[in-house]
Amino acid sequence: MERIRFQLEDLVTKAAEQCRSEQAFNYSDLPEFAIETPRDEGHGDFACNVAMLLARQARMAPRKIAEEIAARIDVSSVTAVENVEVAGAGFINFFMDDVWLAQVPSLVTQMDAMYGCNPSKRKRIQVEFVSANPTGNLHIGNARGGALGDSLANILIMDGYEVSREFYINDAGNQIDIFAASLEARYLQLLGHSISFPENGYAGKDVADTVQRFIGLHRDNLVELDSEERRRRLVDYALEEKSDYMLKTLADFGVFYDVWFSERSLHESGQVAAVLNALRAKGYLYEEDGALWFRAGNESDVEKDEVVVRANGVPTYFAADIAYHVDKFERGFDRVINIWGADHHGHVARMKSALKAMGYDPDNLDIILMQLVRLFRGTQLIKMSKRTGTTVALDELIEEVGRDAARFSFVMRSSDSGLDFDLQLARQKSLENPVYYVQYAHARIMSIHRQAAAAGVKLIKPEQLDYSVLGSAEKELLRKIADFPEEIAIAARTLAPHRIARYAMDLATIFHSFYNHHRVLNDDESLQNARLLLVELVRITIKNALTALGVEAPDHM
RNA sequence: GUCCCCGUAGCUCAGCUGGAUAGAGCAACGGACUUCUAAUCCGUAGGUCGGGGGUUCGAAUCCCUCCGGGGACGCCA
């Protein structure tokens, strides 16, 4: 379909140039205009806005310009163009011959599971998402990040990028020390020693359970050791257990990673120290109150400088994060995308500023700030608290509402919007739940195929399609199907997976309406053949859209 | 105080890099199952796109400002 757009663009450009040479009107540069798909069918298959954009330069009413251009468009050079009209403020509308829609069936059936994919961009993108602290279970916000990141990665792949999914394990730093102290306290308490629990410690039941399992394996072996060694052994055990569980839970959620990257490894390899040295050499670091600060303040959009090494000599999370992002770009990614919770937004400008200081182009780093999720059960808000462990974790969420409903709910909304997730609503298999609406369309089509097979009706090949039997309802479906690769491109460009959820719902709507008005299996053989092929194209497209979102396309419901 | 997100129908939201008469779902009301799955469809009703300026041929969309809601401003991550 893209080819048609280029051809039309070319037609318009030539016609405009001809206008200039014939002095119909004058302009110096032809503005970058659009060949868009009008919302209203009455406005044709494609519309061009060039006349409005030329109005100022040409000093002529847009409508008049459009007429001059339209009169010079050579329709015969592109066979698929049937008619050109000027409408509205000065739109040039193209009405296409059926020829171009007739290309859709063979395209879809040939590409099948690949339909929607765009040509290779020959670029590598890394998507880093979830990256939860391995000190607790995955919560509802991580679930949104997981659904979003995984879908985005799928969409980028479809749009022709090479994509690597990455999880950054925060297995170093302050919170790990607190975690270790909490583990130690629980360990000693469970073995009957009277010891106070750290004030800011991890008091959740899951932490106690982890310690209990450790005791089951190793009994009281650690009691006699010194505290540092005891903590090290406990935390190593706990981090491994927690990470494994996260991996498993994310896999249950349909999320798989290419790389698990350890923060601790950055310290151990000396990369953090190396980055600090480099920044110091470039004059970006200074000392104040005993700590080492990164000078980010030169950039107008950065509020404050940030500490990279504390007064006690320990590097901060930020220091490690700079080293981490340097490492990402050193691995050769053309573009790096992070999905962060909105509460991290203060970090964005400083991170970019640090990357710039290190000699990288900060524009190659995109950070999606995902607004926070509130969890409800009916009208009751469920408060999140990592410390007390009262939140609903991702594994419980999957258990309660199912993977498909959960993933679709998270990904159907723009990441810019806050999300209220109602457990009661999500578990209902009802109208409130758009995922079933889309899945139902797929199941219905599968049912038609089963009936067809039972009656001995075979699916025809696209080249056998009698195009003339298709009515306006069928053509509307074909047009929507034809849009899919472009939808993928837009979703990839704007980093907005929710567009694909929206698209799937729209396509399902058109299909359900068609289904209720027309029978696929009927007495007219050529009509039946055409419709059966058509619904198969719908099925492929819906399935590919759902797959991009990590949602199943069921055969039965 | 500074910064980020949001404000569109009664509710939940979509609206792509400005484009033609602002769209869905839910809720309300009225219809459609002896026929491929009624988890569906068809119709009716519902809007000063938070307010005010500005840019433009054209603004829900871009800029400024004010109001309202949420969030962040730590030698935590």
Side-chain angles (χ1 to χ4, degrees), chain A residues 246-319:
Chain A
M246 281 185 185
L247 178 80
K248 183 195 164 297
T249 306
L250 285 162
D252 289 344
F253 202 43
V255 177
F256 301 89
Y257 285 90
D258 300 296
V259 177
W260 288 67
F261 195 100
S262 154
E263 177 185 355
R264 197 196 281 184
S265 75
L266 288 166
H267 295 279
E268 289 170 353
S269 68
Q271 283 168 280
V272 176
V275 160
L276 290 175
N277 285 336
L279 287 174
R280 191 187 337 249
K282 291 166 190 265
Y284 282 98
L285 302 187
Y286 64 94
E287 213 176 309
E288 195 174 293
D289 300 331
L292 203 56
W293 294 72
F294 170 67
R295 194 189 309 280
N298 302 348
E299 307 293 324
S300 57
D301 54 347
V302 177
E303 307 161 47
K304 279 192 230 171
D305 295 346
E306 189 153 326
V307 171
V308 284
V309 181
R310 301 185 187 93
N312 64 11
V314 179
T316 59
Y317 175 85
F318 180 53

Coordinates of all heavy atoms in Angstrom, one line a residue, chain A residues 246-319:
Chain A
M246 N 10.9 -14.2 39.6 CA 10.5 -13.2 38.7 C 10.5 -13.7 37.2 O 9.6 -13.4 36.5 CB 11.4 -12.0 38.8 CG 11.2 -11.1 39.9 SD 12.3 -9.7 39.8 CE 11.8 -8.9 41.4
L247 N 11.6 -14.4 36.9 CA 11.7 -14.9 35.5 C 10.5 -15.8 35.2 O 9.9 -15.7 34.1 CB 13.0 -15.7 35.5 CG 13.3 -16.4 34.2 CD1 13.9 -15.4 33.2 CD2 14.3 -17.6 34.4
K248 N 10.2 -16.7 36.2 CA 9.1 -17.6 36.0 C 7.7 -16.9 35.9 O 6.9 -17.2 35.0 CB 9.0 -18.6 37.2 CG 7.9 -19.6 37.0 CD 7.7 -20.3 38.4 CE 6.4 -21.1 38.3 NZ 5.2 -20.2 38.1
T249 N 7.5 -15.9 36.7 CA 6.3 -15.1 36.7 C 6.1 -14.4 35.4 O 5.0 -14.4 34.8 CB 6.2 -14.1 37.9 OG1 6.4 -14.9 39.1 CG2 4.9 -13.5 37.9
L250 N 7.2 -13.7 35.0 CA 7.1 -13.0 33.7 C 6.9 -13.9 32.5 O 6.2 -13.6 31.6 CB 8.4 -12.2 33.5 CG 8.5 -11.0 34.4 CD1 10.0 -10.4 34.5 CD2 7.6 -9.9 33.9
A251 N 7.5 -15.1 32.6 CA 7.2 -16.1 31.5 C 5.8 -16.5 31.5 O 5.2 -16.6 30.5 CB 8.1 -17.3 31.8
D252 N 5.2 -16.7 32.7 CA 3.7 -17.0 32.8 C 2.9 -15.8 32.2 O 1.8 -16.0 31.7 CB 3.3 -17.1 34.2 CG 3.8 -18.4 34.8 OD1 4.2 -19.3 34.0 OD2 3.8 -18.6 36.1
F253 N 3.5 -14.6 32.2 CA 2.8 -13.4 31.7 C 3.1 -13.3 30.2 O 2.7 -12.3 29.6 CB 3.3 -12.2 32.5 CG 2.4 -11.0 32.4 CD1 1.0 -11.2 32.6 CD2 2.9 -9.7 32.2 CE1 0.2 -10.0 32.6 CE2 2.1 -8.6 32.2 CZ 0.7 -8.8 32.4
G254 N 3.9 -14.2 29.6 CA 4.2 -14.2 28.2 C 5.3 -13.3 27.9 O 5.5 -12.8 26.8
V255 N 6.1 -12.9 28.9 CA 7.2 -12.0 28.7 C 8.6 -12.7 28.9 O 8.8 -13.3 29.9 CB 7.2 -10.8 29.7 CG1 8.4 -9.9 29.6 CG2 5.9 -10.0 29.6
F256 N 9.4 -12.6 27.8 CA 10.7 -13.3 27.8 C 11.8 -12.3 27.5 O 11.6 -11.4 26.7 CB 10.7 -14.5 26.8 CG 9.6 -15.5 27.1 CD1 8.4 -15.4 26.5 CD2 9.9 -16.6 27.9 CE1 7.4 -16.3 26.8 CE2 8.9 -17.5 28.2 CZ 7.6 -17.4 27.6
Y257 N 12.9 -12.5 28.1 CA 14.0 -11.5 27.9 C 15.2 -12.2 27.2 O 15.4 -13.4 27.3 CB 14.5 -11.0 29.3 CG 13.6 -10.1 29.9 CD1 12.6 -10.5 30.8 CD2 13.7 -8.7 29.7 CE1 11.7 -9.6 31.4 CE2 12.8 -7.8 30.2 CZ 11.8 -8.2 31.1 OH 10.9 -7.3 31.6
D258 N 15.9 -11.3 26.5 CA 17.1 -11.8 25.8 C 18.3 -11.6 26.8 O 19.2 -12.4 26.7 CB 17.4 -10.9 24.6 CG 16.2 -11.0 23.6 OD1 16.0 -12.2 23.1 OD2 15.5 -10.0 23.3
V259 N 18.3 -10.6 27.6 CA 19.4 -10.3 28.5 C 18.9 -10.0 29.9 O 18.0 -9.1 30.0 CB 20.3 -9.2 27.9 CG1 21.4 -8.9 28.9 CG2 20.8 -9.5 26.5
W260 N 19.5 -10.6 30.9 CA 19.4 -10.2 32.3 C 20.7 -9.6 32.7 O 21.7 -10.2 32.7 CB 19.0 -11.4 33.2 CG 17.6 -11.9 33.0 CD1 17.1 -12.4 31.8 CD2 16.5 -11.7 33.9 NE1 15.8 -12.7 32.0 CE2 15.4 -12.3 33.2 CE3 16.4 -11.2 35.2 CZ2 14.1 -12.3 33.8 CZ3 15.1 -11.3 35.8 CH2 14.0 -11.8 35.1
F261 N 20.6 -8.3 33.0 CA 21.9 -7.6 33.3 C 22.0 -7.2 34.7 O 21.1 -6.6 35.3 CB 21.9 -6.3 32.4 CG 23.3 -5.7 32.3 CD1 24.0 -5.9 31.2 CD2 23.8 -4.9 33.3 CE1 25.3 -5.3 31.1 CE2 25.0 -4.3 33.2 CZ 25.8 -4.5 32.1
S262 N 23.1 -7.6 35.3 CA 23.3 -7.4 36.8 C 24.0 -6.0 37.1 O 25.0 -5.7 36.5 CB 24.1 -8.5 37.3 OG 24.8 -8.1 38.5
E263 N 23.3 -5.3 37.9 CA 24.0 -4.0 38.4 C 25.3 -4.3 39.1 O 26.3 -3.6 38.9 CB 23.0 -3.2 39.3 CG 23.6 -2.0 39.9 CD 22.7 -1.3 40.9 OE1 21.6 -1.7 41.1 OE2 23.1 -0.3 41.4
R264 N 25.3 -5.3 39.9 CA 26.5 -5.7 40.6 C 27.7 -5.9 39.7 O 28.8 -5.5 40.0 CB 26.2 -7.0 41.5 CG 27.2 -7.2 42.6 CD 27.1 -8.6 43.1 NE 26.0 -8.8 44.0 CZ 25.8 -10.0 44.6 NH1 26.6 -11.0 44.4 NH2 24.7 -10.1 45.4
S265 N 27.4 -6.5 38.6 CA 28.5 -6.7 37.6 C 29.2 -5.5 37.2 O 30.4 -5.5 36.8 CB 28.0 -7.5 36.4 OG 27.3 -6.7 35.5
L266 N 28.5 -4.4 37.1 CA 29.1 -3.1 36.7 C 30.1 -2.6 37.7 O 31.1 -2.0 37.4 CB 28.0 -2.0 36.5 CG 27.1 -2.2 35.3 CD1 25.8 -1.3 35.5 CD2 27.8 -1.8 34.0
H267 N 29.8 -2.9 39.0 CA 30.7 -2.5 40.0 C 31.9 -3.4 40.0 O 33.1 -3.0 40.1 CB 30.1 -2.6 41.4 CG 29.0 -1.6 41.6 ND1 29.2 -0.3 41.9 CD2 27.6 -1.7 41.4 CE1 28.0 0.4 42.0 NE2 27.1 -0.5 41.7
E268 N 31.7 -4.7 39.9 CA 32.7 -5.7 39.9 C 33.7 -5.6 38.7 O 34.9 -5.9 38.9 CB 32.1 -7.1 40.1 CG 31.5 -7.4 41.4 CD 30.7 -8.7 41.5 OE1 30.5 -9.3 40.5 OE2 30.3 -9.0 42.6
S269 N 33.1 -5.3 37.6 CA 34.0 -5.2 36.4 C 34.8 -3.9 36.3 O 35.6 -3.7 35.5 CB 33.1 -5.2 35.2 OG 32.3 -4.1 35.1
G270 N 34.5 -3.0 37.2 CA 35.2 -1.7 37.2 C 34.6 -0.7 36.3 O 35.2 0.4 36.1
Q271 N 33.5 -1.0 35.7 CA 32.9 0.0 34.7 C 32.4 1.2 35.4 O 32.5 2.3 34.8 CB 31.7 -0.7 34.0 CG 32.2 -1.6 32.9 CD 31.1 -2.5 32.4 OE1 30.7 -3.5 33.0 NE2 30.5 -2.1 31.2
V272 N 31.9 1.1 36.6 CA 31.4 2.3 37.4 C 32.6 3.2 37.6 O 32.5 4.4 37.4 CB 30.7 1.9 38.7 CG1 30.3 3.1 39.5 CG2 29.5 1.0 38.4
A273 N 33.7 2.6 38.1 CA 34.9 3.4 38.4 C 35.4 4.1 37.1 O 35.8 5.2 37.2 CB 36.0 2.5 39.0
A274 N 35.4 3.3 36.0 CA 35.9 3.9 34.8 C 35.1 5.1 34.3 O 35.6 6.1 33.9 CB 35.9 2.8 33.7
V275 N 33.8 5.0 34.5 CA 32.9 6.1 34.0 C 33.1 7.3 34.9 O 33.2 8.4 34.5 CB 31.4 5.6 34.1 CG1 30.5 6.8 34.2 CG2 31.1 4.8 32.9
L276 N 33.3 7.0 36.2 CA 33.6 8.2 37.2 C 34.9 8.9 36.8 O 35.0 10.1 36.8 CB 33.6 7.7 38.6 CG 32.2 7.3 39.1 CD1 32.3 6.7 40.5 CD2 31.2 8.4 39.1
N277 N 35.9 8.1 36.5 CA 37.2 8.6 36.1 C 37.0 9.5 34.8 O 37.6 10.6 34.7 CB 38.2 7.5 35.8 CG 38.7 7.0 37.2 OD1 38.6 7.6 38.2 ND2 39.2 5.7 37.1
A278 N 36.3 9.0 33.9 CA 36.1 9.7 32.6 C 35.4 11.0 32.9 O 35.8 12.0 32.3 CB 35.3 8.8 31.6
L279 N 34.4 11.0 33.7 CA 33.6 12.2 34.0 C 34.5 13.2 34.7 O 34.5 14.4 34.5 CB 32.4 11.9 34.8 CG 31.2 11.2 34.0 CD1 30.1 10.8 35.0 CD2 30.7 12.1 32.9
R280 N 35.3 12.7 35.6 CA 36.2 13.5 36.4 C 37.2 14.2 35.4 O 37.4 15.4 35.5 CB 37.0 12.7 37.4 CG 37.7 13.6 38.4 CD 38.6 12.8 39.4 NE 38.1 11.4 39.5 CZ 37.6 10.9 40.6 NH1 37.4 11.6 41.6 NH2 37.2 9.7 40.6
A281 N 37.8 13.4 34.5 CA 38.7 13.9 33.6 C 38.1 15.0 32.7 O 38.8 16.0 32.3 CB 39.3 12.8 32.7
K282 N 36.9 14.9 32.4 CA 36.2 15.9 31.5 C 35.7 17.1 32.4 O 35.1 18.0 31.8 CB 35.0 15.3 30.8 CG 35.4 14.2 29.8 CD 34.1 13.4 29.4 CE 34.4 12.3 28.5 NZ 34.3 12.6 27.0
G283 N 35.9 17.0 33.7 CA 35.6 18.2 34.5 C 34.1 18.2 34.9 O 33.6 19.3 35.3
Y284 N 33.4 17.1 34.9 CA 32.0 17.1 35.2 C 31.8 16.8 36.7 O 30.6 16.8 37.2 CB 31.2 16.1 34.4 CG 31.0 16.6 33.0 CD1 31.8 16.3 31.9 CD2 29.9 17.5 32.7 CE1 31.5 16.7 30.6 CE2 29.6 18.0 31.5 CZ 30.5 17.6 30.4 OH 30.2 18.1 29.2
L285 N 32.8 16.5 37.4 CA 32.6 16.1 38.8 C 33.2 17.1 39.8 O 34.2 17.8 39.4 CB 33.2 14.7 39.1 CG 32.7 13.5 38.3 CD1 33.3 12.2 38.8 CD2 31.2 13.5 38.3
Y286 N 32.6 17.3 40.9 CA 33.2 18.2 41.9 C 32.8 17.7 43.3 O 31.8 16.9 43.4 CB 32.7 19.6 41.8 CG 31.2 19.8 42.0 CD1 30.7 20.2 43.2 CD2 30.3 19.6 40.9 CE1 29.3 20.4 43.4 CE2 28.9 19.8 41.1 CZ 28.4 20.2 42.3 OH 27.1 20.3 42.5
E287 N 33.5 18.1 44.3 CA 33.3 17.6 45.7 C 32.6 18.6 46.5 O 32.9 19.8 46.4 CB 34.7 17.2 46.3 CG 34.6 16.0 47.2 CD 35.9 15.6 47.8 OE1 36.8 15.5 46.9 OE2 36.1 15.5 49.0
E288 N 31.7 18.1 47.3 CA 31.0 19.0 48.2 C 30.4 18.2 49.3 O 29.9 17.2 49.1 CB 29.8 19.8 47.5 CG 29.3 21.0 48.2 CD 28.3 21.8 47.4 OE1 28.7 22.4 46.4 OE2 27.1 21.8 47.8
D289 N 30.6 18.7 50.6 CA 30.1 18.0 51.8 C 30.7 16.6 51.8 O 30.0 15.7 52.3 CB 28.6 18.0 51.8 CG 28.0 19.4 51.9 OD1 28.7 20.3 52.3 OD2 26.9 19.6 51.3
G290 N 31.8 16.4 51.3 CA 32.5 15.1 51.4 C 32.0 14.1 50.3 O 32.5 13.1 50.2
A291 N 31.0 14.5 49.5 CA 30.5 13.7 48.5 C 31.0 14.2 47.1 O 31.4 15.3 47.0 CB 29.0 13.6 48.5
L292 N 30.9 13.3 46.1 CA 31.3 13.6 44.7 C 30.0 13.8 43.9 O 29.1 13.0 43.9 CB 32.1 12.5 44.2 CG 33.0 12.8 43.0 CD1 34.0 13.9 43.4 CD2 33.8 11.5 42.6
W293 N 29.9 15.0 43.3 CA 28.7 15.4 42.5 C 28.9 15.4 41.0 O 30.0 15.8 40.6 CB 28.2 16.7 43.0 CG 27.8 16.8 44.4 CD1 28.6 16.8 45.5 CD2 26.4 17.0 44.9 NE1 27.8 16.9 46.6 CE2 26.5 17.0 46.3 CE3 25.2 17.1 44.3 CZ2 25.4 17.1 47.1 CZ3 24.0 17.2 45.0 CH2 24.1 17.2 46.4
F294 N 27.9 15.1 40.3 CA 27.9 15.2 38.8 C 27.3 16.6 38.5 O 26.2 16.9 39.0 CB 27.1 14.1 38.2 CG 26.8 14.3 36.7 CD1 27.9 14.3 35.8 CD2 25.6 14.6 36.2 CE1 27.7 14.5 34.4 CE2 25.4 14.8 34.8 CZ 26.4 14.8 34.0
R295 N 28.0 17.4 37.7 CA 27.5 18.7 37.4 C 26.6 18.6 36.2 O 27.0 18.5 35.0 CB 28.7 19.6 37.0 CG 28.4 21.1 36.9 CD 29.6 21.9 36.4 NE 30.8 21.6 37.1 CZ 31.2 22.1 38.2 NH1 30.4 23.0 38.9 NH2 32.3 21.8 38.8
A296 N 25.3 18.5 36.4 CA 24.3 18.5 35.4 C 23.7 19.8 35.1 O 23.1 20.0 34.1 CB 23.2 17.5 35.7
G297 N 24.0 20.7 36.0 CA 23.3 22.0 36.0 C 23.5 22.9 34.8 O 22.8 23.9 34.6
N298 N 24.5 22.6 34.0 CA 24.7 23.4 32.8 C 23.5 23.4 31.9 O 23.2 24.3 31.2 CB 26.0 23.0 32.0 CG 27.2 23.0 32.9 OD1 27.1 23.6 34.0 ND2 28.3 22.4 32.5
E299 N 22.9 22.2 31.9 CA 21.7 22.0 31.0 C 20.6 22.8 31.6 O 20.3 22.6 32.8 CB 21.4 20.6 30.8 CG 22.6 19.7 30.4 CD 23.0 20.0 29.0 OE1 22.2 20.3 28.2 OE2 24.3 20.0 28.7
S300 N 19.9 23.5 30.8 CA 18.8 24.4 31.3 C 17.6 23.5 31.8 O 16.9 24.0 32.7 CB 18.3 25.3 30.2 OG 17.9 24.5 29.1
D301 N 17.5 22.3 31.3 CA 16.3 21.5 31.7 C 16.6 20.6 32.9 O 15.8 19.8 33.3 CB 15.8 20.7 30.6 CG 16.8 19.9 29.9 OD1 18.0 20.1 30.2 OD2 16.5 19.0 29.1
V302 N 17.8 20.8 33.5 CA 18.1 20.0 34.7 C 18.1 20.9 35.9 O 18.7 21.9 35.9 CB 19.5 19.4 34.5 CG1 19.9 18.6 35.8 CG2 19.5 18.5 33.3
E303 N 17.3 20.4 36.9 CA 17.1 21.3 38.0 C 18.4 21.3 38.9 O 18.8 22.3 39.4 CB 16.0 20.7 38.9 CG 14.7 20.5 38.2 CD 13.8 19.6 39.1 OE1 13.7 19.9 40.3 OE2 13.3 18.7 38.5
K304 N 18.9 20.1 39.1 CA 19.9 20.0 40.2 C 21.0 19.0 39.8 O 20.8 18.1 39.0 CB 19.3 19.4 41.4 CG 18.5 20.3 42.3 CD 18.2 19.6 43.6 CE 16.7 19.8 43.9 NZ 16.3 19.0 45.0
D305 N 22.2 19.2 40.4 CA 23.2 18.2 40.3 C 22.9 17.0 41.1 O 22.0 17.0 41.9 CB 24.5 18.8 40.8 CG 25.0 20.0 39.9 OD1 24.4 20.2 38.8 OD2 25.8 20.8 40.3
E306 N 23.6 15.9 40.9 CA 23.3 14.7 41.6 C 24.6 14.0 42.1 O 25.6 14.0 41.4 CB 22.5 13.8 40.7 CG 22.0 12.6 41.4 CD 20.7 12.0 40.7 OE1 19.9 12.8 40.1 OE2 20.5 10.8 40.8
V307 N 24.4 13.4 43.3 CA 25.6 12.8 43.9 C 25.9 11.5 43.1 O 25.0 10.7 42.8 CB 25.3 12.4 45.4 CG1 26.4 11.5 46.0 CG2 25.2 13.7 46.1
V308 N 27.2 11.2 42.8 CA 27.6 10.0 42.2 C 28.3 9.1 43.2 O 28.3 7.9 43.1 CB 28.4 10.2 40.9 CG1 27.5 10.5 39.8 CG2 29.5 11.2 41.1
V309 N 29.1 9.7 44.1 CA 29.7 8.9 45.2 C 29.4 9.6 46.6 O 29.7 10.8 46.7 CB 31.3 8.9 45.0 CG1 31.9 8.0 46.1 CG2 31.6 8.3 43.7
R310 N 28.9 8.8 47.4 CA 28.5 9.3 48.8 C 29.7 9.6 49.6 O 30.8 9.2 49.3 CB 27.6 8.3 49.5 CG 26.4 7.9 48.8 CD 25.6 6.9 49.7 NE 24.4 6.4 48.9 CZ 24.5 5.2 48.3 NH1 25.6 4.5 48.3 NH2 23.4 4.9 47.6
A311 N 29.5 10.4 50.7 CA 30.6 10.7 51.6 C 31.2 9.5 52.1 O 32.4 9.5 52.5 CB 30.1 11.6 52.7
N312 N 30.5 8.4 52.2 CA 31.1 7.1 52.8 C 31.8 6.3 51.7 O 32.3 5.2 51.9 CB 30.0 6.3 53.4 CG 28.9 5.8 52.4 OD1 29.1 5.9 51.2 ND2 27.9 5.2 52.9
G313 N 32.0 6.9 50.5 CA 32.8 6.3 49.5 C 32.0 5.3 48.6 O 32.6 4.8 47.6
V314 N 30.8 5.1 48.8 CA 30.0 4.2 48.1 C 29.3 4.9 46.9 O 28.6 5.9 47.1 CB 28.9 3.5 48.9 CG1 28.1 2.5 48.1 CG2 29.6 2.8 50.1
P315 N 29.5 4.4 45.6 CA 28.8 5.0 44.5 C 27.3 4.9 44.6 O 26.8 3.9 45.1 CB 29.3 4.2 43.3 CG 30.5 3.4 43.8 CD 30.3 3.2 45.3
T316 N 26.6 5.8 44.1 CA 25.1 5.8 44.1 C 24.6 5.0 42.9 O 25.3 4.6 42.0 CB 24.5 7.2 43.9 OG1 25.0 7.7 42.7 CG2 24.9 8.1 45.1
Y317 N 23.3 4.8 43.0 CA 22.6 4.1 41.9 C 22.8 4.8 40.6 O 22.9 4.2 39.5 CB 21.1 4.0 42.2 CG 20.2 3.5 41.1 CD1 20.0 2.1 41.0 CD2 19.6 4.3 40.2 CE1 19.2 1.6 40.0 CE2 18.8 3.8 39.2 CZ 18.6 2.4 39.1 OH 17.8 1.9 38.1
F318 N 22.8 6.1 40.7 CA 22.9 7.0 39.5 C 24.3 6.7 38.8 O 24.3 6.6 37.6 CB 22.8 8.5 39.9 CG 23.0 9.4 38.8 CD1 22.2 9.3 37.6 CD2 23.9 10.5 38.9 CE1 22.3 10.2 36.6 CE2 24.0 11.4 37.8 CZ 23.2 11.3 36.7
A319 N 25.3 6.6 39.6 CA 26.7 6.3 39.0 C 26.6 5.0 38.3 O 27.1 4.9 37.1 CB 27.7 6.2 40.2

